[in-house]
Amino acid sequence: MVRLTAQPEVTFVGTATTVLRIGGFTLLTDPNFLHRGQRAYLGKGLWSRRRTDPALRIAQLPALDAVVLSHLHGDHFDRVARRELDRDLPIVTTPAAGRKLRRWGFRAADGLPTWHSRELHRPGETLRLTSMPGRHGPGALDLLMPDVMGTMIDLERDGSRRFRLYVTGDTLNRPMLADIPERYPDIDAMLIHLGGTRIAGILLTMDARQGSDLVELVRPKLTVPIHYDDYPVFRSPLSHFVAEARRRGLAGRIRTVARGETVPLTPPG
């Protein structure tokens, strides 16, 4: 039986892993199910040891309609996910990640170029997943990083849009992101990947300042921060983002979520 939620909601599992319930659809984002002390492979010979435990195991997940994967790094799609996820589950990701996942046996992996969409359907409802631009590294360093995407998730019911969620993926706040609010105004909620990831001193994911800049750029009604404390390479704690958002007068638009907690994706009041 499909669980219909009165309002869209997110369950935070850890890192960038969440369960999204939007209308009659249930999505999993960036599956990272390694446990505390286990190492995630970050590419180019780099590893990072997880500090936390995920709030759920794969066996405890609800029935899923699809996985949304921002990129193929070991803290976003790990060896547990590769071993235990259903190989027939649709995975919406970048073209490069889609090719590799299909080689691994995930037959329904769908690599989307930027601005392209994949639709999921239920009676009377459509969930449209659209690839958003992203850059994981500054300048030429981005060429050494895996392709990354954000995802715009639109719920339509009886032909009318009812909810819009932007999941940033592991992007820096680069000028190309200005196209997003131009093409997709009226964003109801944003799941923002933070952490200020630094390797060899180089910033690879948004820190408190960049994250707050993106909130001001995109202007979602609600922002929920994730991906901020699970690995030692995350150098910008959640408290820094909350303080910076408060300093800019954005605190009323921010909702934090603890691992294992479920919160609505609609603003208070």
Side-chain angles (χ1 to χ4, degrees):
M1 179 180 295
V2 176
R3 177 187 173 187
L4 291 171
T5 56
Q7 55 187 345
E9 63 184 27
V10 57
T11 301
F12 184 35
V13 179
T15 319
T17 310
T18 70
V19 176
L20 299 173
R21 297 178 180 87
I22 301 173
F25 301 91
T26 302
L27 305 177
L28 177 69
T29 67
D30 293 86
N32 180 205
F33 290 94
L34 296 174
H35 282 260
R36 183 186 311 163
Q38 293 182 306
R39 297 193 306 164
Y41 183 57
L42 304 182
K44 309 303 179 186
L46 297 173
W47 297 80
S48 190
R49 195 177 298 276
R50 187 165 183 169
R51 290 170 163 166
T52 63
D53 285 317
L56 297 171
R57 301 188 308 275
I58 288 178
Q60 296 173 303
L61 293 173
L64 300 171
D65 293 287
V67 175
V68 174
L69 175 63
S70 69
H71 66 302
L72 204 53
H73 256 163
D75 59 334
H76 290 257
F77 194 97
D78 60 28
R79 55 189 176 272
V80 181
R82 182 175 175 178
R83 183 175 65 244
E84 297 185 16
L85 282 178
D86 182 351
R87 297 299 176 96
D88 291 319
L89 191 61
I91 302 176
V92 177
T93 188
T94 67
R99 289 191 293 271
K100 180 169 282 191
L101 287 166
R102 287 192 295 274
R103 289 198 299 270
W104 289 353
F106 290 92
R107 294 172 286 273
D110 192 0
L112 295 181
T114 303
W115 308 121
H116 288 235
S117 299
R118 164 78 181 266
E119 291 185 353
L120 306 174
H121 298 278
R122 289 191 176 279
E125 288 190 324
T126 296
L127 198 69
R128 182 175 297 108
L129 312 174
T130 305
S131 173
M132 297 290 107
R135 288 289 183 274
H136 206 333
L141 182 63
D142 187 61
L143 298 176
L144 300 177
M145 305 292 289
D147 290 343
V148 65
M149 73 177 201
T151 308
M152 196 68 70
I153 303 174
D154 284 308
L155 175 68
E156 295 182 358
R157 186 174 292 128
D158 299 323
S160 176
R161 182 170 62 81
R162 300 301 179 93
F163 180 74
R164 172 169 285 165
L165 170 67
Y166 171 38
V167 184
T168 68
D170 271 18
T171 185
L172 295 172
N173 185 13
R174 308 301 295 166
M176 68 183 68
L177 300 191
D179 290 341
I180 294 174
E182 290 293 325
R183 291 174 178 245
Y184 290 86
D186 303 322
I187 294 173
D188 294 293
M190 176 167 70
L191 282 184
I192 187 169
H193 292 204
L194 294 172
T197 304
R198 287 186 182 272
I199 296 178
I202 300 170
L203 187 69
L204 300 176
T205 63
M206 289 181 285
D207 57 12
R209 180 184 60 80
Q210 284 205 9
S212 297
D213 288 345
L214 188 66
V215 174
E216 291 182 331
L217 174 70
V218 174
R219 303 182 303 278
K221 298 180 179 70
L222 179 73
T223 295
V224 178
I226 57 175
H227 189 276
Y228 52 76
D229 70 351
D230 297 271
Y231 290 89
V233 292
F234 297 169
R235 303 295 177 84
S236 181
L238 177 62
S239 60
H240 288 189
F241 173 71
V242 172
E244 180 66 14
R246 183 180 299 113
R247 187 184 70 79
R248 300 190 193 195
L250 302 171
R253 302 182 187 181
I254 308 298
R255 175 176 290 143
T256 60
V257 57
R259 271 178 292 276
E261 184 181 10
T262 299
V263 300
L265 286 169
T266 50

